[in-house]
Amino acid sequence: MASSVSGPTPPGLPPLPPGHGDYFTETQWSVLMSLLDATIPSITAVSDRKDDKTQLGVTDAEFKEIVTKAQASVVKKPAVEDITAYLAERPSDDPAFCRAVRRVLGNVPPSAQNRLGAVLSALSTRPGSLLLTGYATPIQDQPLHIRESILRSWSSSWFGTPRALYKIFTAIAKVLWLQTSPLFRTVTGFPDVPINWNPGPTEDFGFLQFDTSVTEPATVDTDVIIIGSGCGGGVCAKVLAEAGHRVLVVDKGYYCNPSQLPMPMEQSGVHLFENNGLVNSVDGSINAVAGSCWGGGGSVNWSVSLQTPGYVRKEWSEQHGLPFFESAEYQNCLDRVCEFMGVVSGDNVRQTYRGQKLLEGSRKLGYEAHVCPQNSGGKEHWCGHCPLGCASAEKQGPAVSWLPAAAKKGATFMENFSVDRILWAESTSSSSWFGSGGKKKAVGVEGTWTARDTNGGVVGERKTRKAVIKAKKVIVSAGTLNSPLILHKSGLNNHHIGRNLHVHPVKFIGAYYEDDVKPWEGGAITTICTAFENLDGQGHGVTLEDTCMLPHSILTQLPWRGALSWKLSCLRYPQLSAWLSLSRDRDTGRVYADPVTGKPSIEYTVSSFDAGLNLEGIIALAKIAYVTGASEIDSFLPGVEPFVRSSPGTPSTPTEEAKEEDYDKGVKDPLFEKWLSTLLHQRDNAPLCPPYVSAHQMGTCRMSSKPENGVVDPRGKVWGTEGLYVADASVFPSASGVNPMITTMAIADWIANGVVRDLGKKI
């Protein structure tokens, strides 16, 4: 039955606190907004320009030609008036954009705010501006075209500071403008809500509630507490509840029911993701995305249900001394979790346009490629908005499948419970890895519970209460970024905690076709090419996949080569297809708590080895785009102009007359080969390398066969402790090489069944 509601009712945004933005002075804010406006400026004909500080003017004839060509460049042609208004739009005129800027920067660590503030102050002075821009005039006083030219010069600078400033200012402007601009939606046709939106059922988790007027901590007694409701925690909850044990699942996120989904882009960062949607590495080279809501990453991931590759299982078995991963039992775990979620593959997965191009191009080039399995419960699940929350509830993430199954067997739940520390009782066991007289025995956790507001929402005033949860076993499933922080806060000092971080660094490439492909429709990933997964002969390489095409996800990857060109590229969004090159990274980083905020901080720099592997994938994807008839191919690398085909669907080298030896030379087309050589040049051109993206974080509580080599033993129990386990992607011995959901769930299934044995089966 169709829903009587026309669209979702998202939770909204909490009001900005009093004094928000006080970390910057009025002058600093003026400098910042002048640079954001220079990134995506108001562009008008000279005759309509009112102010050269707020508008970028071109001659009337040139502007008319720009609008005419822009309209001709897209299949479904917007009205001239709409294109004109779109070009004239200025971000800082939109209150929603300005609020978004303040909200995002308000979540930046104070140390980073101070560093950015110092740069903004310098740019507002004559000496500082001269040093950083080459002009003595303070940057906020410059006309718009000068500010734009300064951004251009920063983008190709060989000095680190200008490049970093270029990345910061253009990234903020692009992301937040795409989130808030109504005119972008008008000219592209992008809908914030899927066509035929029809929400699935709301689950009744019966979340525990406490009287917040009471000062002493609330107490709860259970057999097992599971910290985290994601892919690891959800599986553990079902296994243990079905074995007859009392299970309590807690999470620092709230449950968002299907009628609230998908969320608007600007709200999703607050309610669905860690740190407003982005956790940047300390050096800015990695932008990490991690779920932070009820159901964890499984509520916002892209449905891909790939099992652990054989070469990875072999490595974990032989190099890490963990033979379980090459056992039939591990295969049973993999198959069991896939069967429970109704994973579909092959012809049961409906291909997107870009997914079909990846299959087609791989076949033409002799690359191994196949359809990506999906955890869609046997349904088609044709929804491109799922990364903002699955409204249909067809995606069988933890909040839809594993946790409701646990609830049916008596599991209980607490939302928005932040764990402060694990509670210990000294055991009389033999000496431990920690060098104490006995192993540390986990007997529960303590933390802070936050109630919903008086309307049952999550944006109004909310009250808190401390809570102590007593348990026989504690399972930490808070994810790769947060699980090590909980262990550290609880007094564990194993050197490996937080280290061995793998992130699957990703770069993207896009191509424009002559079709209106509606890139926002369909599954985010439907195809995978595995031809390059073992480039070094030791299991390190890249996998190639189609990717999420939501505007804030993919158009932010388009390099900013200038204000007009970026706006015009976004206008062609309906004809864009994009893919990703995902490295199985050999080299690692670490995660630790920010000393001021306590939030996860990532220390990770993509090594030249892993970057080289990734570039091989980008080159392969460019070839795939070429042989499938793309009219324009963009490597998304600053400093590299897109390849434009002379005639769509044909080689770019025309011949005056047909000859017997003439044939479609495909990727051997000389002009295309010349363009590919500019990509290879990137190996030695580090300043033009953009940040990488990571949606998969692994390894910070690594599983090992010996305590000196990792954090948990082969059963997931933390070395040197009793009653404490970790069950999430943080226990991976190294990178999985493919989307980690199924691997995480299979390992959690194994660990949870071990906990069942430790407790003694009740039924």
Side-chain angles (χ1 to χ4, degrees), residues 632-669:
E632 182 176 323
I633 304 168
D634 196 329
S635 68
F636 290 179
L637 295 173
V640 178
E641 292 298 317
F643 174 80
V644 180
R645 211 177 202 122
S646 58
S647 177
T650 66
S652 61
T653 307
T655 55
E656 294 184 0
E657 57 183 50
K659 298 179 181 179
E660 185 177 347
E661 63 269 22
D662 285 343
Y663 60 94
D664 183 350
K665 297 179 178 60
V667 295
K668 294 301 181 182
D669 173 3

Short mmCIF file of all heavy atoms in Angstrom, two decimals, residues 632-669:
data_model
loop_
_atom_site.label_atom_id
_atom_site.label_comp_id
_atom_site.label_asym_id
_atom_site.label_seq_id
_atom_site.Cartn_x
_atom_site.Cartn_y
_atom_site.Cartn_z
N GLU A 632 33.49 12.30 -22.64
CA GLU A 632 34.49 13.06 -21.90
C GLU A 632 34.87 12.26 -20.66
O GLU A 632 33.99 11.71 -19.98
CB GLU A 632 33.94 14.43 -21.49
CG GLU A 632 34.94 15.31 -20.75
CD GLU A 632 34.38 16.69 -20.45
OE1 GLU A 632 33.65 17.25 -21.30
OE2 GLU A 632 34.68 17.21 -19.36
N ILE A 633 36.15 12.18 -20.37
CA ILE A 633 36.64 11.41 -19.23
C ILE A 633 37.44 12.34 -18.34
O ILE A 633 38.37 13.01 -18.79
CB ILE A 633 37.53 10.22 -19.69
CG1 ILE A 633 36.76 9.33 -20.67
CG2 ILE A 633 38.00 9.40 -18.49
CD1 ILE A 633 37.64 8.32 -21.38
N ASP A 634 37.09 12.36 -17.06
CA ASP A 634 37.76 13.23 -16.10
C ASP A 634 38.41 12.37 -15.03
O ASP A 634 37.74 11.62 -14.31
CB ASP A 634 36.75 14.19 -15.46
CG ASP A 634 37.43 15.36 -14.74
OD1 ASP A 634 38.55 15.18 -14.24
OD2 ASP A 634 36.82 16.45 -14.70
N SER A 635 39.72 12.46 -14.91
CA SER A 635 40.45 11.67 -13.92
C SER A 635 40.24 12.18 -12.50
O SER A 635 40.68 11.53 -11.55
CB SER A 635 41.94 11.70 -14.24
OG SER A 635 42.46 13.01 -14.04
N PHE A 636 39.59 13.33 -12.35
CA PHE A 636 39.39 13.96 -11.06
C PHE A 636 40.72 14.35 -10.40
O PHE A 636 40.78 14.49 -9.18
CB PHE A 636 38.58 13.07 -10.11
CG PHE A 636 37.13 12.91 -10.49
CD1 PHE A 636 36.29 12.10 -9.73
CD2 PHE A 636 36.60 13.55 -11.59
CE1 PHE A 636 34.96 11.95 -10.06
CE2 PHE A 636 35.25 13.40 -11.93
CZ PHE A 636 34.43 12.59 -11.16
N LEU A 637 41.75 14.50 -11.20
CA LEU A 637 43.05 14.90 -10.68
C LEU A 637 43.30 16.36 -11.04
O LEU A 637 43.29 16.72 -12.22
CB LEU A 637 44.17 14.04 -11.26
CG LEU A 637 44.16 12.57 -10.89
CD1 LEU A 637 45.23 11.82 -11.67
CD2 LEU A 637 44.38 12.39 -9.40
N PRO A 638 43.49 17.22 -10.05
CA PRO A 638 43.82 18.62 -10.36
C PRO A 638 45.07 18.69 -11.22
O PRO A 638 46.02 17.93 -11.04
CB PRO A 638 44.07 19.23 -8.97
CG PRO A 638 43.34 18.34 -8.02
CD PRO A 638 43.43 16.97 -8.59
N GLY A 639 45.04 19.58 -12.18
CA GLY A 639 46.19 19.73 -13.07
C GLY A 639 46.11 18.86 -14.31
O GLY A 639 46.91 19.03 -15.23
N VAL A 640 45.16 17.93 -14.35
CA VAL A 640 44.97 17.08 -15.53
C VAL A 640 43.62 17.44 -16.15
O VAL A 640 42.57 17.23 -15.55
CB VAL A 640 45.00 15.58 -15.16
CG1 VAL A 640 44.75 14.73 -16.40
CG2 VAL A 640 46.32 15.21 -14.51
N GLU A 641 43.67 17.98 -17.35
CA GLU A 641 42.43 18.35 -18.03
C GLU A 641 41.69 17.09 -18.48
O GLU A 641 42.30 16.06 -18.75
CB GLU A 641 42.74 19.23 -19.24
CG GLU A 641 43.27 20.61 -18.87
CD GLU A 641 42.28 21.43 -18.07
OE1 GLU A 641 41.06 21.41 -18.42
OE2 GLU A 641 42.70 22.07 -17.10
N PRO A 642 40.37 17.14 -18.55
CA PRO A 642 39.62 15.98 -19.02
C PRO A 642 39.98 15.62 -20.46
O PRO A 642 40.39 16.49 -21.24
CB PRO A 642 38.16 16.44 -18.92
CG PRO A 642 38.17 17.59 -17.97
CD PRO A 642 39.51 18.26 -18.15
N PHE A 643 39.82 14.35 -20.79
CA PHE A 643 39.97 13.90 -22.17
C PHE A 643 38.63 14.05 -22.86
O PHE A 643 37.62 13.51 -22.41
CB PHE A 643 40.42 12.44 -22.23
CG PHE A 643 40.45 11.88 -23.63
CD1 PHE A 643 41.52 12.15 -24.46
CD2 PHE A 643 39.40 11.11 -24.12
CE1 PHE A 643 41.56 11.65 -25.74
CE2 PHE A 643 39.43 10.61 -25.40
CZ PHE A 643 40.51 10.88 -26.22
N VAL A 644 38.59 14.80 -23.96
CA VAL A 644 37.36 15.03 -24.71
C VAL A 644 37.48 14.33 -26.06
O VAL A 644 38.40 14.60 -26.83
CB VAL A 644 37.08 16.53 -24.91
CG1 VAL A 644 35.79 16.73 -25.69
CG2 VAL A 644 37.01 17.23 -23.55
N ARG A 645 36.53 13.47 -26.33
CA ARG A 645 36.54 12.70 -27.56
C ARG A 645 36.15 13.60 -28.73
O ARG A 645 35.26 14.44 -28.61
CB ARG A 645 35.54 11.56 -27.43
CG ARG A 645 35.88 10.32 -28.19
CD ARG A 645 34.83 9.26 -27.91
NE ARG A 645 35.36 7.93 -28.19
CZ ARG A 645 35.42 6.95 -27.31
NH1 ARG A 645 34.97 7.16 -26.09
NH2 ARG A 645 35.90 5.79 -27.64
N SER A 646 36.80 13.40 -29.87
CA SER A 646 36.49 14.23 -31.03
C SER A 646 35.11 13.90 -31.57
O SER A 646 34.39 14.76 -32.05
CB SER A 646 37.54 14.04 -32.12
OG SER A 646 37.61 12.68 -32.50
N SER A 647 34.73 12.64 -31.47
CA SER A 647 33.40 12.21 -31.91
C SER A 647 32.94 11.12 -30.96
O SER A 647 33.58 10.07 -30.89
CB SER A 647 33.43 11.67 -33.34
OG SER A 647 32.15 11.19 -33.71
N PRO A 648 31.89 11.34 -30.20
CA PRO A 648 31.47 10.37 -29.19
C PRO A 648 31.30 8.97 -29.76
O PRO A 648 30.69 8.77 -30.81
CB PRO A 648 30.13 10.92 -28.71
CG PRO A 648 30.21 12.38 -28.97
CD PRO A 648 31.01 12.51 -30.25
N GLY A 649 31.86 8.01 -29.03
CA GLY A 649 31.69 6.60 -29.40
C GLY A 649 32.67 6.12 -30.43
O GLY A 649 32.62 4.97 -30.85
N THR A 650 33.60 6.99 -30.89
CA THR A 650 34.56 6.58 -31.92
C THR A 650 35.95 6.95 -31.48
O THR A 650 36.14 7.77 -30.58
CB THR A 650 34.25 7.27 -33.27
OG1 THR A 650 34.48 8.68 -33.10
CG2 THR A 650 32.83 7.04 -33.71
N PRO A 651 36.99 6.38 -32.11
CA PRO A 651 38.35 6.80 -31.80
C PRO A 651 38.50 8.30 -32.03
O PRO A 651 37.81 8.88 -32.87
CB PRO A 651 39.21 5.99 -32.77
CG PRO A 651 38.37 4.80 -33.11
CD PRO A 651 36.95 5.28 -33.11
N SER A 652 39.41 8.93 -31.32
CA SER A 652 39.54 10.38 -31.42
C SER A 652 40.45 10.81 -32.57
O SER A 652 40.66 11.98 -32.77
CB SER A 652 40.08 10.94 -30.10
OG SER A 652 41.35 10.40 -29.82
N THR A 653 41.01 9.85 -33.32
CA THR A 653 41.85 10.18 -34.46
C THR A 653 41.07 9.89 -35.74
O THR A 653 40.89 8.74 -36.13
CB THR A 653 43.14 9.35 -34.46
OG1 THR A 653 43.77 9.51 -33.19
CG2 THR A 653 44.07 9.80 -35.56
N PRO A 654 40.55 10.92 -36.39
CA PRO A 654 39.77 10.67 -37.61
C PRO A 654 40.68 10.29 -38.78
O PRO A 654 41.85 10.61 -38.82
CB PRO A 654 39.09 12.02 -37.86
CG PRO A 654 40.02 13.03 -37.25
CD PRO A 654 40.65 12.35 -36.07
N THR A 655 40.12 9.56 -39.73
CA THR A 655 40.85 9.20 -40.95
C THR A 655 40.13 9.82 -42.14
O THR A 655 38.91 9.92 -42.16
CB THR A 655 40.92 7.68 -41.14
OG1 THR A 655 39.58 7.16 -41.10
CG2 THR A 655 41.70 7.03 -40.00
N GLU A 656 40.91 10.23 -43.13
CA GLU A 656 40.31 10.91 -44.27
C GLU A 656 39.56 9.92 -45.15
O GLU A 656 38.56 10.24 -45.75
CB GLU A 656 41.40 11.62 -45.07
CG GLU A 656 42.04 12.78 -44.29
CD GLU A 656 43.04 13.53 -45.13
OE1 GLU A 656 43.23 13.15 -46.31
OE2 GLU A 656 43.63 14.50 -44.63
N GLU A 657 40.04 8.72 -45.24
CA GLU A 657 39.32 7.73 -46.03
C GLU A 657 39.55 6.36 -45.41
O GLU A 657 40.56 6.10 -44.79
CB GLU A 657 39.82 7.73 -47.49
CG GLU A 657 41.32 7.48 -47.62
CD GLU A 657 41.77 7.56 -49.06
OE1 GLU A 657 41.42 8.55 -49.73
OE2 GLU A 657 42.44 6.62 -49.52
N ALA A 658 38.55 5.54 -45.52
CA ALA A 658 38.63 4.21 -44.91
C ALA A 658 39.63 3.35 -45.64
O ALA A 658 39.74 3.39 -46.86
CB ALA A 658 37.25 3.55 -44.94
N LYS A 659 40.42 2.60 -44.89
CA LYS A 659 41.37 1.66 -45.46
C LYS A 659 41.12 0.29 -44.87
O LYS A 659 40.52 0.15 -43.80
CB LYS A 659 42.80 2.11 -45.17
CG LYS A 659 43.15 3.47 -45.78
CD LYS A 659 44.59 3.87 -45.43
CE LYS A 659 44.93 5.24 -46.02
NZ LYS A 659 46.30 5.65 -45.66
N GLU A 660 41.62 -0.72 -45.52
CA GLU A 660 41.37 -2.08 -45.07
C GLU A 660 41.90 -2.31 -43.66
O GLU A 660 41.31 -3.01 -42.87
CB GLU A 660 42.02 -3.09 -46.03
CG GLU A 660 41.70 -4.53 -45.70
CD GLU A 660 42.29 -5.48 -46.71
OE1 GLU A 660 42.73 -5.04 -47.79
OE2 GLU A 660 42.29 -6.68 -46.42
N GLU A 661 43.04 -1.67 -43.33
CA GLU A 661 43.62 -1.91 -42.01
C GLU A 661 43.02 -1.00 -40.93
O GLU A 661 43.39 -1.08 -39.77
CB GLU A 661 45.14 -1.69 -42.05
CG GLU A 661 45.57 -0.27 -42.39
CD GLU A 661 45.77 -0.09 -43.89
OE1 GLU A 661 45.18 -0.88 -44.67
OE2 GLU A 661 46.50 0.83 -44.27
N ASP A 662 42.08 -0.10 -41.34
CA ASP A 662 41.44 0.76 -40.35
C ASP A 662 40.51 -0.06 -39.47
O ASP A 662 39.76 -0.91 -39.95
CB ASP A 662 40.62 1.86 -41.03
CG ASP A 662 41.52 2.94 -41.60
OD1 ASP A 662 42.69 3.00 -41.20
OD2 ASP A 662 41.03 3.71 -42.44
N TYR A 663 40.56 0.19 -38.18
CA TYR A 663 39.66 -0.47 -37.24
C TYR A 663 39.62 0.36 -35.97
O TYR A 663 40.43 1.28 -35.79
CB TYR A 663 40.11 -1.90 -36.92
CG TYR A 663 41.50 -1.99 -36.30
CD1 TYR A 663 41.66 -2.02 -34.92
CD2 TYR A 663 42.64 -2.00 -37.11
CE1 TYR A 663 42.93 -2.08 -34.35
CE2 TYR A 663 43.90 -2.06 -36.55
CZ TYR A 663 44.04 -2.10 -35.17
OH TYR A 663 45.30 -2.16 -34.62
N ASP A 664 38.68 0.06 -35.13
CA ASP A 664 38.58 0.78 -33.86
C ASP A 664 39.75 0.37 -32.98
O ASP A 664 39.82 -0.74 -32.48
CB ASP A 664 37.25 0.42 -33.18
CG ASP A 664 37.04 1.20 -31.88
OD1 ASP A 664 37.99 1.86 -31.43
OD2 ASP A 664 35.93 1.14 -31.33
N LYS A 665 40.69 1.26 -32.83
CA LYS A 665 41.91 0.94 -32.08
C LYS A 665 41.70 0.95 -30.58
O LYS A 665 42.60 0.63 -29.81
CB LYS A 665 43.03 1.92 -32.46
CG LYS A 665 43.43 1.85 -33.92
CD LYS A 665 44.52 2.84 -34.23
CE LYS A 665 44.98 2.73 -35.69
NZ LYS A 665 43.90 2.98 -36.65
N GLY A 666 40.49 1.36 -30.15
CA GLY A 666 40.19 1.33 -28.73
C GLY A 666 41.18 2.16 -27.94
O GLY A 666 41.49 3.30 -28.29
N VAL A 667 41.72 1.57 -26.87
CA VAL A 667 42.61 2.32 -25.99
C VAL A 667 43.97 2.59 -26.61
O VAL A 667 44.80 3.26 -26.01
CB VAL A 667 42.78 1.58 -24.64
CG1 VAL A 667 41.46 1.51 -23.90
CG2 VAL A 667 43.35 0.19 -24.85
N LYS A 668 44.20 2.08 -27.82
CA LYS A 668 45.45 2.38 -28.53
C LYS A 668 45.33 3.62 -29.41
O LYS A 668 46.24 3.96 -30.16
CB LYS A 668 45.87 1.17 -29.38
CG LYS A 668 46.25 -0.05 -28.55
CD LYS A 668 47.41 0.26 -27.60
CE LYS A 668 47.81 -0.94 -26.78
NZ LYS A 668 48.90 -0.63 -25.83
N ASP A 669 44.21 4.29 -29.31
CA ASP A 669 44.03 5.57 -29.99
C ASP A 669 45.15 6.51 -29.52
O ASP A 669 45.32 6.74 -28.32
CB ASP A 669 42.66 6.13 -29.63
CG ASP A 669 42.42 7.54 -30.15
OD1 ASP A 669 43.30 8.07 -30.85
OD2 ASP A 669 41.35 8.09 -29.87
#
